[in-house]
Amino acid sequence: GNFSVSAIGKLGEFDLSVNGSAKNPLALDGVDADLSVDGPSLAEAGAMFDIQGLADVPYAIKGRVRREATLFELISGSAMVGDTRLELSGKLPKFPDIDDWQLSLDSSNLNLALFETALGLEGIPDTPYKLSGQLRPSPDGLELLNFTLIGEKNHLSVAGTVGEAPNYYGTRLEAEL
């Protein structure tokens, strides 16, 4: 039978919300759910999962997910971290295999300096970027990649094909800076 859940809660300073259903909850199959979490500090949220070095800024993450047998979809996802906004959607048609996956994302005011310490990098400019991109399957079984990152003084475009997982042989990418 169907299992339904609707819950709103607070974990410390974090607000959590889950609303959805599952046909087989133990296998996480037949899932259709809306999820959200937000709080005053991304650094504190990261520390709960032993992730250090995240910025101490407010965040809000929301998403709608669906899983039916081998199809896993992120119908819509959004994240606000400080002034950074990220919207994404995607699907894995052969879950848990990652072949033929699709991803679409769009971000504005992306400040990579917020994640500098967590990424183990130094010297990332504290400047906003716009990021947009897509990954989609081609008829011949390759994934087609097209991403663009635009900053105040920088522009990076990456396009090409991604070979099959797990080794990604045959990957061919062109980058323009």
Side-chain angles (χ1 to χ4, degrees):
N2 262 1
F3 174 80
S4 295
V5 64
S6 183
I8 297 173
K10 208 160 181 55
L11 180 62
E13 295 184 15
F14 311 109
D15 294 322
L16 309 167
S17 169
V18 177
N19 189 10
S21 63
K23 293 178 186 169
N24 185 349
L26 295 178
L28 292 177
D29 193 18
V31 172
D32 189 351
D34 291 302
L35 313 163
S36 71
V37 60
D38 60 76
S41 172
L42 185 63
E44 289 180 27
M48 288 178 62
F49 299 98
D50 202 27
I51 300 171
Q52 305 302 317
L54 295 175
D56 188 21
V57 295
Y59 67 93
I61 301 168
K62 297 178 183 184
R64 172 132 193 244
V65 295
R66 184 180 300 154
R67 176 167 181 220
E68 189 68 45
T70 62
L71 175 63
F72 178 83
E73 293 179 279
L74 174 59
I75 306 298
S76 62
S78 66
M80 293 287 292
V81 177
D83 292 333
T84 296
R85 180 192 62 81
L86 175 67
E87 303 281 336
L88 62 111
S89 63
K91 76 170 70 170
L92 294 166
K94 300 174 185 175
F95 183 79
D97 188 359
I98 62 170
D99 283 337
D100 298 331
W101 65 310
Q102 298 173 36
L103 175 69
S104 178
L105 65 86
D106 185 39
S107 178
S108 61
N109 288 327
L110 176 62
N111 186 349
L112 298 173
L114 290 175
F115 307 99
E116 180 178 73
T117 304
L119 295 171
L121 301 172
E122 292 181 18
I124 296 177
D126 186 1
T127 185
Y129 290 92
K130 179 175 180 358
L131 173 67
S132 61
Q134 283 190 330
L135 181 68
R136 59 184 173 82
S138 70
D140 56 357
L142 297 174
E143 275 87 25
L144 304 175
L145 176 78
N146 188 349
F147 280 83
T148 303
L149 181 68
I150 300 171
E152 187 177 301
K153 299 178 183 178
N154 307 306
H155 179 116
L156 173 66
S157 294
V158 178
T161 57
V162 179
E164 273 191 54
N167 299 319
Y168 304 101
Y169 294 126
T171 296
R172 296 183 195 281
L173 300 175
E174 290 185 19
E176 180 181 317
L177 184 60

